[in-house]
Amino acid sequence: MKKAIITGVTGQDGSYLAELLLEKGYEVHGIMRRASTFNTERVDHLYVDPHLNSKFKLHFGDLSDPSSISSLIREVQPDEFYNLGAQSHVRVSFDIPEYTSNVTGLGVLRCLDAIKQFSPHTKFYQASSSEMFGKVLETPQNENTPFYPRSPYGCSKVYGYWITKNYRESYDLYTSNGILFNHESPRRGETFVTRKITMAIARIKFGLQKKLYLGNLDAKRDWGHAKDYVEAMYLMLQQEKGDDFVVATGETHSVKEFLEEAFSYAKLNYQDYIEIDKKYFRPAEVELLLGDATKAKEKLGWEPKTKFKELVREMVDSDIEIVKKEYYGINGEK
């Protein structure tokens, strides 16, 4: 039985990846930060399934605490290590730049150094980001496009990318970077713009919200489905050698397009509910991201399965169902 460690296992990507690996027969060890409230709703169902719960184990740890990472790697001796943990909100990274750099940047180094010392056979995956391209120098962006990050988050991810590549070349470790473009799902955090939109629609439908406050509607992103993208992560670590791959759909859509598609699907006019609030603008904006995943298609055999409209509609349907249950309650009463 193969063993894998996933940091950020309680997040969107971590939960989908845990499901995928468990389905493939892995023993999965997830790392989660200790908090005063539980944040395990995305993986709670894995405990309910009697076929999976014996293979799924949660551990407290933190990317800012090297001892917690090192001790788990030393104990588990994983075949694969997926580093998905981070302070991952771009706008928030401007407010807490040092913390973001510590966790999102130096956290990668702590994982790599522990693997080098205690489990050098482990294959390492680093969740790199399209935000590293920032103020893009060419379109579309591929593995050879220069980086120009525009946020503390993007800068931290650039460090994580290069230290991953450096440990591969310096110590002959198996390390891979997945340069993932924006990927969403019903499990996306509610502070991210796509989920903020779909959750607002659901609350508006039930009369629980009147306005939705957003920032830059003209920003364009390459949006895919997180469930498709974790499959690419897995495939990267099944290759003979570590490498770096862009994972993207090759389509770009603006925030405004996402709004229009989501609201029209819910039979609402977004213009009746949207207010622009400057506090949601970034100090340095990333206007356009569009990925070229040709290398992933040719070497991994990977292609995105979910189209833009399918993704938007799935998220709207899911959030309407969530708010409906909250509104009517378990017994169907308001």
Side-chain angles (χ1 to χ4, degrees):
M1 185 188 298
K2 280 189 174 182
K3 293 184 284 187
I5 291 177
I6 303 173
T7 67
V9 73
T10 58
Q12 170 188 248
D13 294 8
S15 63
Y16 281 121
L17 180 61
E19 288 175 348
L20 177 67
L21 295 180
L22 288 166
E23 286 168 7
K24 293 182 179 295
Y26 280 63
E27 178 181 294
V28 175
H29 296 260
I31 299 178
M32 61 178 289
R33 283 177 299 151
R34 176 73 180 92
S36 58
T37 56
F38 285 106
N39 183 32
T40 59
E41 63 272 7
R42 294 184 183 94
V43 293
D44 284 342
H45 64 287
L46 299 177
Y47 290 109
V48 176
D49 189 330
H51 300 293
L52 299 179
N53 62 11
S54 63
K55 299 178 183 177
F56 180 64
K57 307 174 191 302
L58 275 179
H59 306 264
F60 288 118
D62 198 305
L63 288 169
S64 64
D65 174 26
S67 64
S68 64
I69 303 298
S70 296
S71 61
L72 187 60
I73 289 172
R74 190 167 54 236
E75 175 192 340
V76 174
Q77 292 290 301
D79 298 280
E80 297 167 8
F81 188 109
Y82 296 86
N83 183 39
L84 312 186
Q87 191 301 101
S88 59
H89 198 288
V90 179
R91 177 63 190 83
V92 171
S93 75
F94 287 97
D95 300 324
I96 48 173
E98 186 176 339
Y99 175 78
T100 299
S101 301
N102 187 19
V103 173
T104 307
L106 288 175
V108 186
L109 173 63
R110 294 177 184 118
C111 296
L112 287 166
D113 214 49
I115 287 169
K116 178 173 74 76
Q117 290 185 62
F118 304 117
S119 186
H121 70 280
T122 298
K123 295 180 177 182
F124 178 81
Y125 170 84
Q126 167 59 13
S128 292
S129 169
S130 59
E131 287 288 333
M132 299 188 304
F133 296 121
K135 189 175 181 180
V136 297
L137 300 179
E138 64 179 15
T139 298
Q141 297 88 53
N142 60 36
E143 292 81 5
N144 298 313
T145 301
F147 300 138
Y148 195 144
R150 298 273 281 170
S151 66
Y153 170 78
C155 293
S156 302
K157 283 293 186 181
V158 169
Y159 175 82
Y161 171 91
W162 281 113
I163 200 67
T164 297
K165 202 173 178 77
N166 182 262
Y167 268 59
R168 180 167 73 221
E169 296 173 354
S170 300
Y171 304 111
D172 199 29
L173 296 180
Y174 187 118
T175 70
S176 289
N177 280 294
I179 307 173
L180 272 58
F181 281 64
N182 291 63
H183 46 288
E184 319 297 319
S185 76
R187 298 183 189 177
R188 188 59 143 154
E190 289 184 37
T191 60
F192 292 86
V193 67
T194 52
R195 186 77 194 289
K196 188 176 177 182
I197 290 168
T198 58
M199 184 56 83
I201 287 170
R203 289 174 176 148
I204 287 167
K205 294 281 280 187
F206 286 93
L208 303 174
Q209 186 171 330
K210 293 182 179 179
K211 292 290 182 182
L212 171 59
Y213 296 91
L214 295 172
N216 183 9
L217 302 188
D218 296 321
K220 293 182 177 180
R221 296 291 184 268
D222 184 328
W223 274 307
H225 198 300
K227 195 169 185 179
D228 295 344
Y229 284 31
V230 300
E231 184 183 355
M233 298 177 191
Y234 166 77
L235 290 170
M236 285 180 213
L237 296 198
Q238 311 315 307
Q239 307 307 303
E240 187 177 341
K241 295 180 179 179
D243 204 348
D244 309 313
F245 296 89
V246 162
V247 179
T249 69
E251 292 183 14
T252 188
H253 299 274
S254 67
V255 175
K256 185 178 178 181
E257 285 179 77
F258 193 102
L259 270 174
E260 290 173 337
E261 179 61 34
F263 272 81
S264 64
Y265 177 63
K267 296 181 171 55
L268 296 170
N269 182 354
Y270 82 92
Q271 292 174 323
D272 295 335
Y273 303 98
I274 301 302
E275 296 283 349
I276 302 301
D277 190 331
K278 289 185 178 180
K279 76 178 181 181
Y280 294 115
F281 282 78
R282 302 178 186 179
E285 185 58 76
V286 174
E287 297 294 346
L288 169 67
L289 293 173
L290 175 62
D292 175 4
T294 300
K295 182 178 176 181
K297 180 179 180 180
E298 293 177 350
K299 291 199 171 184
L300 305 179
W302 179 88
E303 286 187 273
K305 300 182 180 74
T306 311
K307 299 296 184 184
F308 176 71
K309 286 189 177 182
E310 294 175 55
L311 170 63
V312 175
R313 294 177 180 189
E314 181 186 342
M315 292 177 69
V316 171
D317 286 339
S318 174
D319 280 339
I320 286 176
E321 204 53 40
I322 288 170
V323 175
K324 183 179 179 181
K325 288 178 181 176
E326 292 174 354
Y327 186 72
Y328 288 108
I330 296 172
N331 299 318
E333 296 177 1
K334 229 171 134 177

PDB file of all heavy atoms in Angstrom, residues 155-178:
ATOM      1  N   CYS A 155       4.835  36.325  -4.831  1.00  0.00           N
ATOM      2  CA  CYS A 155       6.279  36.296  -4.545  1.00  0.00           C
ATOM      3  C   CYS A 155       6.655  35.059  -3.736  1.00  0.00           C
ATOM      4  O   CYS A 155       7.688  34.422  -3.989  1.00  0.00           O
ATOM      5  CB  CYS A 155       6.689  37.554  -3.786  1.00  0.00           C
ATOM      6  SG  CYS A 155       6.560  39.081  -4.743  1.00  0.00           S
ATOM      7  N   SER A 156       5.818  34.707  -2.762  1.00  0.00           N
ATOM      8  CA  SER A 156       6.076  33.527  -1.933  1.00  0.00           C
ATOM      9  C   SER A 156       6.022  32.257  -2.761  1.00  0.00           C
ATOM     10  O   SER A 156       6.828  31.331  -2.573  1.00  0.00           O
ATOM     11  CB  SER A 156       5.048  33.449  -0.799  1.00  0.00           C
ATOM     12  OG  SER A 156       5.091  34.613  -0.002  1.00  0.00           O
ATOM     13  N   LYS A 157       5.080  32.207  -3.698  1.00  0.00           N
ATOM     14  CA  LYS A 157       4.962  31.037  -4.566  1.00  0.00           C
ATOM     15  C   LYS A 157       6.160  30.916  -5.512  1.00  0.00           C
ATOM     16  O   LYS A 157       6.587  29.809  -5.853  1.00  0.00           O
ATOM     17  CB  LYS A 157       3.666  31.104  -5.370  1.00  0.00           C
ATOM     18  CG  LYS A 157       2.424  30.723  -4.568  1.00  0.00           C
ATOM     19  CD  LYS A 157       2.419  29.258  -4.177  1.00  0.00           C
ATOM     20  CE  LYS A 157       1.136  28.820  -3.520  1.00  0.00           C
ATOM     21  NZ  LYS A 157       1.154  27.393  -3.121  1.00  0.00           N
ATOM     22  N   VAL A 158       6.701  32.053  -5.937  1.00  0.00           N
ATOM     23  CA  VAL A 158       7.900  32.015  -6.777  1.00  0.00           C
ATOM     24  C   VAL A 158       9.063  31.402  -6.000  1.00  0.00           C
ATOM     25  O   VAL A 158       9.816  30.558  -6.525  1.00  0.00           O
ATOM     26  CB  VAL A 158       8.273  33.421  -7.291  1.00  0.00           C
ATOM     27  CG1 VAL A 158       9.665  33.416  -7.931  1.00  0.00           C
ATOM     28  CG2 VAL A 158       7.246  33.910  -8.310  1.00  0.00           C
ATOM     29  N   TYR A 159       9.213  31.790  -4.737  1.00  0.00           N
ATOM     30  CA  TYR A 159      10.265  31.185  -3.911  1.00  0.00           C
ATOM     31  C   TYR A 159      10.031  29.683  -3.789  1.00  0.00           C
ATOM     32  O   TYR A 159      10.966  28.879  -3.941  1.00  0.00           O
ATOM     33  CB  TYR A 159      10.298  31.822  -2.516  1.00  0.00           C
ATOM     34  CG  TYR A 159      11.294  31.139  -1.605  1.00  0.00           C
ATOM     35  CD1 TYR A 159      12.644  31.468  -1.661  1.00  0.00           C
ATOM     36  CD2 TYR A 159      10.887  30.138  -0.731  1.00  0.00           C
ATOM     37  CE1 TYR A 159      13.565  30.817  -0.854  1.00  0.00           C
ATOM     38  CE2 TYR A 159      11.792  29.482   0.071  1.00  0.00           C
ATOM     39  CZ  TYR A 159      13.139  29.819   0.015  1.00  0.00           C
ATOM     40  OH  TYR A 159      14.050  29.166   0.794  1.00  0.00           O
ATOM     41  N   GLY A 160       8.790  29.299  -3.510  1.00  0.00           N
ATOM     42  CA  GLY A 160       8.476  27.876  -3.377  1.00  0.00           C
ATOM     43  C   GLY A 160       8.793  27.094  -4.641  1.00  0.00           C
ATOM     44  O   GLY A 160       9.301  25.967  -4.588  1.00  0.00           O
ATOM     45  N   TYR A 161       8.493  27.695  -5.784  1.00  0.00           N
ATOM     46  CA  TYR A 161       8.785  27.064  -7.073  1.00  0.00           C
ATOM     47  C   TYR A 161      10.286  26.820  -7.233  1.00  0.00           C
ATOM     48  O   TYR A 161      10.734  25.715  -7.558  1.00  0.00           O
ATOM     49  CB  TYR A 161       8.261  27.945  -8.214  1.00  0.00           C
ATOM     50  CG  TYR A 161       8.683  27.496  -9.596  1.00  0.00           C
ATOM     51  CD1 TYR A 161       7.897  26.626 -10.323  1.00  0.00           C
ATOM     52  CD2 TYR A 161       9.884  27.957 -10.164  1.00  0.00           C
ATOM     53  CE1 TYR A 161       8.290  26.207 -11.601  1.00  0.00           C
ATOM     54  CE2 TYR A 161      10.283  27.543 -11.428  1.00  0.00           C
ATOM     55  CZ  TYR A 161       9.475  26.665 -12.146  1.00  0.00           C
ATOM     56  OH  TYR A 161       9.872  26.253 -13.392  1.00  0.00           O
ATOM     57  N   TRP A 162      11.065  27.873  -6.998  1.00  0.00           N
ATOM     58  CA  TRP A 162      12.503  27.766  -7.262  1.00  0.00           C
ATOM     59  C   TRP A 162      13.221  26.886  -6.245  1.00  0.00           C
ATOM     60  O   TRP A 162      14.179  26.179  -6.596  1.00  0.00           O
ATOM     61  CB  TRP A 162      13.135  29.152  -7.323  1.00  0.00           C
ATOM     62  CG  TRP A 162      12.898  29.838  -8.631  1.00  0.00           C
ATOM     63  CD1 TRP A 162      12.146  30.942  -8.869  1.00  0.00           C
ATOM     64  CD2 TRP A 162      13.403  29.423  -9.913  1.00  0.00           C
ATOM     65  NE1 TRP A 162      12.145  31.260 -10.214  1.00  0.00           N
ATOM     66  CE2 TRP A 162      12.909  30.342 -10.880  1.00  0.00           C
ATOM     67  CE3 TRP A 162      14.217  28.375 -10.343  1.00  0.00           C
ATOM     68  CZ2 TRP A 162      13.199  30.222 -12.232  1.00  0.00           C
ATOM     69  CZ3 TRP A 162      14.512  28.272 -11.704  1.00  0.00           C
ATOM     70  CH2 TRP A 162      14.006  29.184 -12.624  1.00  0.00           C
ATOM     71  N   ILE A 163      12.776  26.883  -5.006  1.00  0.00           N
ATOM     72  CA  ILE A 163      13.445  26.028  -4.023  1.00  0.00           C
ATOM     73  C   ILE A 163      13.106  24.564  -4.296  1.00  0.00           C
ATOM     74  O   ILE A 163      13.930  23.664  -4.077  1.00  0.00           O
ATOM     75  CB  ILE A 163      13.099  26.439  -2.566  1.00  0.00           C
ATOM     76  CG1 ILE A 163      14.150  25.886  -1.586  1.00  0.00           C
ATOM     77  CG2 ILE A 163      11.708  26.002  -2.151  1.00  0.00           C
ATOM     78  CD1 ILE A 163      15.523  26.493  -1.746  1.00  0.00           C
ATOM     79  N   THR A 164      11.918  24.312  -4.843  1.00  0.00           N
ATOM     80  CA  THR A 164      11.550  22.953  -5.246  1.00  0.00           C
ATOM     81  C   THR A 164      12.437  22.483  -6.392  1.00  0.00           C
ATOM     82  O   THR A 164      12.955  21.358  -6.392  1.00  0.00           O
ATOM     83  CB  THR A 164      10.068  22.906  -5.676  1.00  0.00           C
ATOM     84  OG1 THR A 164       9.247  23.245  -4.555  1.00  0.00           O
ATOM     85  CG2 THR A 164       9.671  21.530  -6.194  1.00  0.00           C
ATOM     86  N   LYS A 165      12.620  23.347  -7.361  1.00  0.00           N
ATOM     87  CA  LYS A 165      13.488  23.033  -8.500  1.00  0.00           C
ATOM     88  C   LYS A 165      14.946  22.873  -8.039  1.00  0.00           C
ATOM     89  O   LYS A 165      15.669  21.989  -8.503  1.00  0.00           O
ATOM     90  CB  LYS A 165      13.380  24.172  -9.513  1.00  0.00           C
ATOM     91  CG  LYS A 165      13.752  23.834 -10.947  1.00  0.00           C
ATOM     92  CD  LYS A 165      13.426  25.012 -11.837  1.00  0.00           C
ATOM     93  CE  LYS A 165      13.805  24.772 -13.286  1.00  0.00           C
ATOM     94  NZ  LYS A 165      12.851  23.888 -13.987  1.00  0.00           N
ATOM     95  N   ASN A 166      15.372  23.728  -7.092  1.00  0.00           N
ATOM     96  CA  ASN A 166      16.739  23.691  -6.596  1.00  0.00           C
ATOM     97  C   ASN A 166      17.049  22.387  -5.881  1.00  0.00           C
ATOM     98  O   ASN A 166      18.130  21.804  -6.062  1.00  0.00           O
ATOM     99  CB  ASN A 166      16.983  24.878  -5.658  1.00  0.00           C
ATOM    100  CG  ASN A 166      18.399  24.931  -5.148  1.00  0.00           C
ATOM    101  OD1 ASN A 166      18.678  24.489  -4.048  1.00  0.00           O
ATOM    102  ND2 ASN A 166      19.306  25.457  -5.960  1.00  0.00           N
ATOM    103  N   TYR A 167      16.105  21.899  -5.065  1.00  0.00           N
ATOM    104  CA  TYR A 167      16.339  20.637  -4.343  1.00  0.00           C
ATOM    105  C   TYR A 167      16.358  19.451  -5.301  1.00  0.00           C
ATOM    106  O   TYR A 167      17.030  18.447  -5.053  1.00  0.00           O
ATOM    107  CB  TYR A 167      15.291  20.444  -3.242  1.00  0.00           C
ATOM    108  CG  TYR A 167      15.752  21.005  -1.912  1.00  0.00           C
ATOM    109  CD1 TYR A 167      16.084  22.355  -1.778  1.00  0.00           C
ATOM    110  CD2 TYR A 167      15.897  20.197  -0.793  1.00  0.00           C
ATOM    111  CE1 TYR A 167      16.523  22.880  -0.578  1.00  0.00           C
ATOM    112  CE2 TYR A 167      16.334  20.702   0.424  1.00  0.00           C
ATOM    113  CZ  TYR A 167      16.650  22.049   0.523  1.00  0.00           C
ATOM    114  OH  TYR A 167      17.097  22.566   1.721  1.00  0.00           O
ATOM    115  N   ARG A 168      15.631  19.565  -6.405  1.00  0.00           N
ATOM    116  CA  ARG A 168      15.669  18.510  -7.420  1.00  0.00           C
ATOM    117  C   ARG A 168      17.058  18.460  -8.063  1.00  0.00           C
ATOM    118  O   ARG A 168      17.629  17.380  -8.247  1.00  0.00           O
ATOM    119  CB  ARG A 168      14.599  18.787  -8.484  1.00  0.00           C
ATOM    120  CG  ARG A 168      14.548  17.745  -9.601  1.00  0.00           C
ATOM    121  CD  ARG A 168      13.278  17.913 -10.418  1.00  0.00           C
ATOM    122  NE  ARG A 168      13.304  19.085 -11.269  1.00  0.00           N
ATOM    123  CZ  ARG A 168      12.257  19.896 -11.460  1.00  0.00           C
ATOM    124  NH1 ARG A 168      11.120  19.693 -10.817  1.00  0.00           N
ATOM    125  NH2 ARG A 168      12.356  20.928 -12.273  1.00  0.00           N
ATOM    126  N   GLU A 169      17.586  19.616  -8.394  1.00  0.00           N
ATOM    127  CA  GLU A 169      18.854  19.682  -9.106  1.00  0.00           C
ATOM    128  C   GLU A 169      20.060  19.533  -8.179  1.00  0.00           C
ATOM    129  O   GLU A 169      21.111  19.028  -8.591  1.00  0.00           O
ATOM    130  CB  GLU A 169      18.938  20.998  -9.877  1.00  0.00           C
ATOM    131  CG  GLU A 169      17.877  21.099 -10.973  1.00  0.00           C
ATOM    132  CD  GLU A 169      17.824  22.467 -11.643  1.00  0.00           C
ATOM    133  OE1 GLU A 169      18.533  23.385 -11.170  1.00  0.00           O
ATOM    134  OE2 GLU A 169      17.077  22.619 -12.629  1.00  0.00           O
ATOM    135  N   SER A 170      19.921  19.974  -6.922  1.00  0.00           N
ATOM    136  CA  SER A 170      21.054  19.935  -5.990  1.00  0.00           C
ATOM    137  C   SER A 170      21.201  18.593  -5.284  1.00  0.00           C
ATOM    138  O   SER A 170      22.322  18.128  -5.043  1.00  0.00           O
ATOM    139  CB  SER A 170      20.897  21.035  -4.935  1.00  0.00           C
ATOM    140  OG  SER A 170      20.857  22.312  -5.522  1.00  0.00           O
ATOM    141  N   TYR A 171      20.081  17.959  -4.948  1.00  0.00           N
ATOM    142  CA  TYR A 171      20.125  16.746  -4.121  1.00  0.00           C
ATOM    143  C   TYR A 171      19.531  15.520  -4.815  1.00  0.00           C
ATOM    144  O   TYR A 171      19.366  14.478  -4.188  1.00  0.00           O
ATOM    145  CB  TYR A 171      19.392  17.001  -2.802  1.00  0.00           C
ATOM    146  CG  TYR A 171      19.950  18.185  -2.047  1.00  0.00           C
ATOM    147  CD1 TYR A 171      19.199  19.356  -1.903  1.00  0.00           C
ATOM    148  CD2 TYR A 171      21.230  18.150  -1.491  1.00  0.00           C
ATOM    149  CE1 TYR A 171      19.702  20.455  -1.218  1.00  0.00           C
ATOM    150  CE2 TYR A 171      21.751  19.248  -0.810  1.00  0.00           C
ATOM    151  CZ  TYR A 171      20.977  20.392  -0.676  1.00  0.00           C
ATOM    152  OH  TYR A 171      21.484  21.490  -0.006  1.00  0.00           O
ATOM    153  N   ASP A 172      19.189  15.672  -6.088  1.00  0.00           N
ATOM    154  CA  ASP A 172      18.639  14.561  -6.867  1.00  0.00           C
ATOM    155  C   ASP A 172      17.360  14.006  -6.234  1.00  0.00           C
ATOM    156  O   ASP A 172      17.106  12.800  -6.275  1.00  0.00           O
ATOM    157  CB  ASP A 172      19.680  13.438  -7.024  1.00  0.00           C
ATOM    158  CG  ASP A 172      19.335  12.503  -8.173  1.00  0.00           C
ATOM    159  OD1 ASP A 172      18.689  12.956  -9.144  1.00  0.00           O
ATOM    160  OD2 ASP A 172      19.682  11.309  -8.083  1.00  0.00           O
ATOM    161  N   LEU A 173      16.571  14.881  -5.649  1.00  0.00           N
ATOM    162  CA  LEU A 173      15.273  14.477  -5.125  1.00  0.00           C
ATOM    163  C   LEU A 173      14.239  14.506  -6.246  1.00  0.00           C
ATOM    164  O   LEU A 173      14.389  15.231  -7.232  1.00  0.00           O
ATOM    165  CB  LEU A 173      14.825  15.418  -4.002  1.00  0.00           C
ATOM    166  CG  LEU A 173      15.658  15.460  -2.726  1.00  0.00           C
ATOM    167  CD1 LEU A 173      15.040  16.455  -1.739  1.00  0.00           C
ATOM    168  CD2 LEU A 173      15.766  14.081  -2.090  1.00  0.00           C
ATOM    169  N   TYR A 174      13.195  13.708  -6.089  1.00  0.00           N
ATOM    170  CA  TYR A 174      12.097  13.732  -7.040  1.00  0.00           C
ATOM    171  C   TYR A 174      11.135  14.839  -6.596  1.00  0.00           C
ATOM    172  O   TYR A 174      10.387  14.687  -5.635  1.00  0.00           O
ATOM    173  CB  TYR A 174      11.372  12.380  -7.035  1.00  0.00           C
ATOM    174  CG  TYR A 174      10.318  12.236  -8.121  1.00  0.00           C
ATOM    175  CD1 TYR A 174      10.446  11.262  -9.098  1.00  0.00           C
ATOM    176  CD2 TYR A 174       9.188  13.046  -8.159  1.00  0.00           C
ATOM    177  CE1 TYR A 174       9.486  11.112 -10.094  1.00  0.00           C
ATOM    178  CE2 TYR A 174       8.227  12.913  -9.146  1.00  0.00           C
ATOM    179  CZ  TYR A 174       8.383  11.932 -10.117  1.00  0.00           C
ATOM    180  OH  TYR A 174       7.431  11.789 -11.091  1.00  0.00           O
ATOM    181  N   THR A 175      11.175  15.959  -7.287  1.00  0.00           N
ATOM    182  CA  THR A 175      10.280  17.073  -6.954  1.00  0.00           C
ATOM    183  C   THR A 175       9.635  17.602  -8.232  1.00  0.00           C
ATOM    184  O   THR A 175      10.276  17.680  -9.278  1.00  0.00           O
ATOM    185  CB  THR A 175      11.036  18.225  -6.259  1.00  0.00           C
ATOM    186  OG1 THR A 175      11.898  18.874  -7.207  1.00  0.00           O
ATOM    187  CG2 THR A 175      11.844  17.732  -5.073  1.00  0.00           C
ATOM    188  N   SER A 176       8.368  17.964  -8.122  1.00  0.00           N
ATOM    189  CA  SER A 176       7.625  18.506  -9.260  1.00  0.00           C
ATOM    190  C   SER A 176       6.834  19.728  -8.844  1.00  0.00           C
ATOM    191  O   SER A 176       6.289  19.784  -7.735  1.00  0.00           O
ATOM    192  CB  SER A 176       6.668  17.459  -9.827  1.00  0.00           C
ATOM    193  OG  SER A 176       7.365  16.432 -10.481  1.00  0.00           O
ATOM    194  N   ASN A 177       6.775  20.698  -9.745  1.00  0.00           N
ATOM    195  CA  ASN A 177       5.924  21.877  -9.567  1.00  0.00           C
ATOM    196  C   ASN A 177       4.708  21.778 -10.474  1.00  0.00           C
ATOM    197  O   ASN A 177       4.857  21.586 -11.688  1.00  0.00           O
ATOM    198  CB  ASN A 177       6.691  23.151  -9.953  1.00  0.00           C
ATOM    199  CG  ASN A 177       7.624  23.638  -8.867  1.00  0.00           C
ATOM    200  OD1 ASN A 177       7.192  24.056  -7.805  1.00  0.00           O
ATOM    201  ND2 ASN A 177       8.922  23.586  -9.158  1.00  0.00           N
ATOM    202  N   GLY A 178       3.534  21.933  -9.905  1.00  0.00           N
ATOM    203  CA  GLY A 178       2.324  22.066 -10.697  1.00  0.00           C
ATOM    204  C   GLY A 178       1.917  23.530 -10.709  1.00  0.00           C
ATOM    205  O   GLY A 178       1.502  24.061  -9.677  1.00  0.00           O
TER     206      GLY A 178
END
